[in-house]
Amino acid sequence: MSVPSDQATARHSSFLIGGTWTAAEGPDVVTVSCSTTGEALGAFPDATEADIDHAVAAARRALADPSGWSIWSPDERALAMERLAAAVERRGEAMAQLIAREVGTPIEVARGSSAQYAARLLRFYAGVARGLDGESSRPALAGHTLVRREPVGVVALIVPWNYPVSLACFKLAPALASGSTAVLKPSPETGLSSYLLAEAVDEAGLPPGVVNIVPAGREVGAYLVAHPGVDKVSFTGSTDAGRSVAQQCGSLLRPVTLELGGKSAAVVLDDVALDVFADALLGSSFPNNGQTCTASTRILAPRSIFADVCNAVTEKARSYRLGDPRDTTTDIGPLVSARQRDRVEGYIRVGRDEGGRVTAGGGRPDGLDPGLFVEPTVFIDVDPGMTIVAEEIFGPVVVLLPYDGGDDDAVQLANDSTYGLAGTVWSADTGRAIDVARRIDTGIVGINGWDLDIGSPFGGRRQSGLGHELGPEGIDGYLRYKTLFVA
């Protein structure tokens, strides 16, 4: 079944609910504009609470089906997930091109982080599903127990706009592997690309209602979080929004996984290979135009080489090519929306007002209107108490801070943050860098670079979130346990 839409203008009129393209309940539409040109890319219905009710009801019916998804064998679920992975891959280039226009993601980044990554996630968790022991026997003091692993139930999956397809599959893949059913709520900024994922789900032939996809805004998302038909929530987004989700789930005693913001540190040690660090800066500190929660946006360097590090970072930031994200020579594309650009420019103004000095960028580039561009911006003469040092900006802005003394001082400065998501350590001595990384209080640290490893847990501490995704551990949040004592 194909999406009932005008493919030339991407004007959608329905949502994938219960295995069918279901007409939206409300008359309003959301129009998505290209972040580079401002032209309209298409539109989709503005979801209502009634649409969420339909989606949750469909997921509950699929969960309760006595011959349905939740009681399929792990191998049957794995085969269906592999079909979905192949269907996603077939839409890879279309997804990358659309995300480049919706989000501003440079095309090569969009290709690697969208369908390719999503398909890898689905295949990885298909393998996890095959190895899942649904019931095991354990000896007890008298008799024995049977320990059952069961799907948690209907899960609400709420994903942001910065990596819309891959972050959806961060959650969808382990949920499917567990036997749970899902209501996926993509962000309205990337609602159009969510229809390509919905097409893939439709093509893969999963049972009706196992995956329901309803792009919607914050108010409708909040309704989904509190919906009585939902058994678990998994949310990726800002810390402020995550705090509201956590409060609601706490009041309902509903399990929740939160992947939130970050203000990660790049710890540069005094023996750093400066050319290696500078060459990796685009991917470590400015990925996806800075619209990445794991970006190392606090660069910490020893005072003895601080001037050299500042010069290297400034020169590299000035060298980046800004332009159409669909051009493979573009390093930095536009931001996702005018609201996001206003937010980033507001932080730059605050940084200057608080005494920070800009050595690169700090404004809008010439000749790229009406694109939503902000120049890669580098601040020095800052201290840990400044707003731009403490808060997540989510744009192409980095700050450089010196530290005195040795590695202990670097670790102390790196840990001086309310966040605890990620970070990097840069040194010619890998053993020394690993020792420093072990003492940095974050969920993830890269040594002389960083890449997202599907096979390892991903999660933050403090204001960066609760729980973990990825790795074999990522399925734990979608399982519940039952113990049967046998006398």
Side-chain angles (χ1 to χ4, degrees):
M1 184 185 298
S2 62
V3 179
S5 65
D6 179 346
Q7 295 298 331
T9 58
R11 291 194 173 274
H12 303 276
S13 60
S14 57
F15 302 117
L16 182 63
I17 296 175
T20 63
W21 294 99
T22 304
E25 287 289 339
D28 296 335
V29 298
V30 176
T31 300
V32 178
S33 299
C34 176
S35 57
T36 306
T37 66
E39 66 180 307
L41 297 176
F44 56 89
D46 191 4
T48 65
E49 293 178 359
D51 296 309
I52 294 296
D53 288 338
H54 294 326
V56 173
R60 294 224 69 86
R61 287 193 300 271
L63 184 72
D65 185 342
S67 60
W69 183 257
S70 64
I71 64 167
W72 278 18
S73 71
D75 190 57
E76 287 176 310
R77 288 200 295 269
L79 288 171
M81 292 173 66
E82 288 164 351
R83 292 197 304 272
L84 177 55
V88 168
E89 280 181 326
R90 282 190 283 274
R91 291 160 176 80
E93 186 61 20
M95 285 180 175
Q97 293 289 339
L98 184 52
I99 289 168
R101 302 183 78 191
E102 285 180 316
V103 182
T105 305
I107 188 63
E108 293 300 334
V109 177
R111 285 173 176 146
S113 66
S114 299
Q116 292 178 20
Y117 200 86
R120 287 176 58 204
L121 279 163
L122 288 161
R123 292 191 174 106
F124 176 85
Y125 280 103
V128 172
R130 286 191 171 98
L132 195 62
D133 186 0
E135 185 172 286
S136 59
S137 178
R138 299 181 186 179
L141 187 61
H144 66 282
T145 61
L146 298 177
V147 177
R148 291 181 52 79
R149 293 180 179 87
E150 299 176 344
V152 72
V154 173
V155 295
L157 310 178
I158 301 176
V159 296
W161 46 260
N162 56 331
Y163 296 96
V165 175
S166 55
L167 289 179
C169 289
F170 266 48
K171 305 173 187 307
L172 184 59
L176 292 176
S178 76
S180 296
T181 61
V183 177
L184 172 64
K185 190 209 79 64
S187 170
E189 284 87 350
T190 48
L192 295 177
S193 56
S194 75
Y195 278 88
L196 292 173
L197 179 58
E199 280 186 12
V201 170
D202 190 13
E203 179 188 316
L206 276 64
V210 170
V211 179
N212 309 273
I213 301 180
V214 183
R218 287 190 177 186
E219 291 184 2
V220 173
Y223 180 77
L224 174 61
V225 167
H227 200 286
V230 167
D231 298 302
K232 183 244 173 34
V233 175
S234 182
F235 172 87
T236 298
S238 71
T239 294
D240 286 344
R243 187 176 290 110
S244 297
V245 171
Q247 290 172 345
Q248 183 66 67
C249 289
S251 68
L252 296 169
L253 299 180
R254 177 169 295 169
V256 61
T257 300
L258 302 173
E259 198 279 284
L260 308 178
K263 191 71 177 183
S264 302
V267 178
V268 179
L269 302 184
D270 55 16
D271 63 349
V272 67
L274 201 51
D275 56 340
V276 172
F277 169 68
D279 287 344
L281 199 65
L282 183 63
S284 64
S285 294
F286 294 101
N288 197 12
N289 318 326
Q291 299 173 134
T292 302
C293 58
T294 56
S296 293
T297 53
R298 289 185 299 139
I299 299 173
L300 318 181
R303 200 174 296 276
S304 60
I305 61 168
F306 189 72
D308 293 335
V309 174
C310 289
N311 289 337
V313 172
T314 298
E315 181 180 343
K316 186 61 69 171
R318 289 174 176 171
S319 74
Y320 294 144
R321 185 178 184 275
L322 283 71
D324 189 328
R326 293 172 295 170
D327 183 338
T328 57
T329 65
T330 291
D331 297 311
I332 301 287
L335 301 186
V336 67
S337 65
R339 181 176 63 181
Q340 185 64 15
R341 182 170 67 174
D342 289 345
R343 169 187 165 88
V344 173
E345 290 178 332
Y347 273 110
I348 292 172
R349 285 193 297 273
V350 169
R352 284 180 162 131
D353 291 345
E354 291 183 347
R357 181 160 63 93
V358 172
T359 63
R364 300 181 184 183
D366 294 330
L368 291 177
D369 292 337
L372 302 170
F373 291 89
V374 173
E375 294 172 321
T377 300
V378 178
F379 271 97
I380 64 172
D381 296 344
V382 298
D383 63 63
M386 288 185 177
T387 302
I388 59 168
V389 178
E391 296 185 12
E392 183 180 44
I393 297 173
F394 222 64
V397 181
V398 300
V399 298
L400 283 87
L401 295 95
Y403 63 86
D404 297 301
D407 296 353
D408 291 345
D409 296 304
V411 170
Q412 182 177 2
L413 186 56
N415 290 339
D416 185 13
S417 174
T418 59
Y419 294 101
L421 182 57
T424 51
V425 181
W426 303 84
S427 171
D429 183 338
T430 300
R432 178 187 177 193
I434 291 174
D435 179 65
V436 169
R438 287 188 175 117
R439 292 185 285 156
I440 295 176
D441 189 18
T442 64
I444 312 143
V445 186
I447 309 300
N448 293 323
W450 183 72
D451 194 14
L452 193 59
D453 178 21
I454 286 173
S456 302
F458 175 90
R461 302 173 182 181
R462 301 186 299 285
Q463 291 193 36
S464 288
L466 296 170
H468 289 82
E469 299 180 304
L470 302 187
E473 297 84 354
I475 199 172
D476 290 345
Y478 299 94
L479 295 171
R480 59 183 182 179
Y481 290 83
K482 178 186 289 184
T483 297
L484 308 178
F485 176 75
V486 182

